[in-house]
């Protein structure tokens, strides 16, 4: 695996990988890799001749008081895991390669960025869109893969790529990959490492409460009281607060108060101790 830390090295590595019209897939990450990321890498391999992974803990997507400094950094272990997957290229930019002095540009995607995590974490999706836009321009992938666990992030990136003509428009240009879960249903996340054993056990209430709420709504229960019961379930199970629990249109993320014909999604963000967990599931 080639490791590039500067744009010069990256460009020549990318040129080499793309010779002869070979297709390149990109899996953007912030490191602290787990089975969810490795699933993205394996899926990437099915859609391209070569796979590039980026690792960059993007300061622009963390707000004041968030976990930028504490965010787990496990670079050597990450490299070992990626080598074992046969990844051809790791793009691990030094911060100045991503944000040189005087960097002044912001990519902001209106609408899909506004509610849910966008409301709870002001500026977060501008930071995501800005760095992903740069990653697409730097690596020039044919396909990029993202986990469906960050459903709103995926919607923001799809809209940005469409609006700014960032990728060649084809069906698999931006692929969402289903969430990988622990045996008790908890979605894999780098932030699960923050949980104490007791909090980890309590966290299993999140997917459980979501599944109950989905069954209720699909069975005809009214949405608002079902979401209120979901929140109560989480607080009872040991969560400290619930940022949001919403039923939304799966594509536009507009909140729904009834289940219609279009695909819908239940999206939840809740805090346990200092850790904020998010999850989402299809409804209907
Ligand atoms: O999902 C993530 O890990 C990050 O938000 C991403 C897409 C790599 C951008 O920093």
């Amino acid at each position: 695996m080639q490791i590039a830390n500067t744009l010069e090295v990256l460009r020549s590595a990318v040129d080499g990988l793309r010779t002869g019209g070979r297709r390149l897939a990109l899996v953007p990450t912030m490191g602290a890799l787990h089975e969810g990321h490795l699933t993205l890498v394996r899926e990437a391999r099915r859609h391209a001749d070569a796979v590039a992974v980026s690792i960059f803990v993007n300061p622009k997507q963390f707000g004041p008081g968030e976990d930028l400094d504490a965010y787990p950094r496990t670079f050597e272990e990450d490299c070992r895991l990626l080598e074992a997957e046969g990844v051809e290229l790791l793009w691990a930019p030094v911060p100045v390669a991503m944000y040189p002095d005087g960097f002044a540009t912001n990519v902001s995607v209106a609408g899909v960025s506004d509610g849910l995590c966008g409301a709870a974490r002001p500026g977060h999706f501008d930071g995501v869109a800005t760095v992903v836009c740069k990653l697409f321009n730097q690596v020039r992938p044919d396909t990029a893969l993202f986990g469906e666990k960050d459903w709103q992030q995926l919607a923001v990136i799809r809209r940005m790529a469409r609006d700014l003509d960032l990728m060649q428009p084809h069906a698999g240009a931006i692929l969402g990959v289903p969430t990988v879960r622990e045996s008790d249903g908890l979605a894999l996340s780098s932030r699960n490492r923050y949980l104490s054993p007791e909090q980890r056990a309590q966290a299993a209430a999140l997917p459980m409460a979501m599944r109950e709420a989905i069954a209720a709504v699909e069975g005809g229960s009214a949405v608002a009281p079902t979401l209120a019961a979901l929140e109560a379930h989480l607080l009872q199970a040991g969560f400290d607060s619930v940022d949001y629990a919403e039923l939304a249109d799966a594509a536009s993320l507009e909140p729904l108060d009834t289940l219609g014909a279009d695909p819908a999604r239940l999206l939840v963000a809740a805090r346990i101790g200092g850790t904020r967990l998010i999850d989402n599931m299809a409804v209907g």
Side-chain angles (χ1 to χ4, degrees):
M1 179 172 75
Q2 267 184 284
I3 301 180
N5 301 120
T6 64
L7 279 171
E8 292 66 33
V9 176
L10 176 75
R11 285 192 180 121
S12 93
V14 165
D15 287 347
L17 289 173
R18 295 181 64 93
T19 46
R22 279 161 50 90
R23 291 172 54 79
L24 181 60
L26 172 66
V27 178
T29 82
M30 298 205 298
L33 302 181
H34 51 65
E35 197 56 30
H37 297 110
L38 301 182
T39 303
L40 296 179
V41 168
R42 288 172 203 140
E43 187 64 18
R45 174 79 53 212
R46 295 181 52 240
H47 296 273
D49 304 300
V51 177
V53 173
S54 63
I55 294 182
F56 180 66
V57 182
N58 173 32
K60 287 201 184 297
Q61 68 189 76
F62 290 80
E66 290 190 348
D67 58 341
L68 173 61
D69 292 336
Y71 198 83
R73 287 157 172 90
T74 56
F75 189 71
E76 280 172 19
E77 173 65 2
D78 292 348
C79 288
R80 199 187 59 70
L81 292 169
L82 296 177
E83 289 269 12
E85 294 296 329
V87 165
E88 281 82 359
L89 173 62
L90 172 58
W91 170 221
V94 290
V96 72
M98 195 56 90
Y99 298 123
D101 269 358
F103 186 88
T105 299
N106 187 48
V107 180
S108 187
V109 184
V112 279
S113 294
D114 295 343
L116 304 165
C117 284
R121 303 180 67 190
H124 169 68
F125 286 118
D126 286 11
V128 170
T130 302
V131 81
V132 172
C133 181
K134 284 180 67 80
L135 289 167
F136 285 176
N137 285 329
Q138 291 164 341
V139 179
R140 294 178 288 119
D142 298 282
T143 299
L145 294 94
F146 298 86
E148 286 186 352
K149 182 178 150 285
D150 297 293
W151 187 265
Q152 189 176 12
Q153 166 172 284
L154 185 56
V156 168
I157 291 167
R158 284 200 163 117
R159 179 57 56 95
M160 170 187 71
R162 195 204 66 171
D163 289 357
L164 299 182
D165 308 311
L166 287 183
M167 311 261 292
Q168 289 297 322
H170 63 89
I174 294 178
L175 288 172
V177 177
T179 303
V180 181
R181 296 178 182 279
E182 304 273 12
S183 55
D184 63 3
L186 184 68
L188 295 194
S189 163
S190 304
R191 289 190 168 95
N192 292 353
R193 297 172 201 229
Y194 297 152
L195 300 172
S196 69
E198 192 196 355
Q199 291 167 341
R200 170 63 191 81
Q202 292 167 329
L206 176 57
M208 197 186 303
M210 290 176 70
R211 289 207 169 97
E212 280 175 21
I214 290 168
V217 169
E218 288 177 348
S221 299
V223 170
T226 304
L227 296 178
L230 189 165
E231 291 199 29
H233 182 153
L234 292 178
L235 297 175
Q236 166 117 46
F239 278 80
D240 296 296
S241 59
V242 179
D243 278 3
Y244 60 78
E246 261 185 49
L247 184 72
D249 179 273
S252 69
L253 298 183
E254 288 293 324
L256 298 172
D257 49 20
T258 53
L259 201 52
D262 291 334
R265 211 84 195 168
L266 174 64
L267 302 106
V268 181
R271 294 175 193 265
I272 189 163
T275 307
R276 184 173 185 275
L277 300 177
I278 60 170
D279 202 348
N280 70 87
M281 294 179 189
V283 185

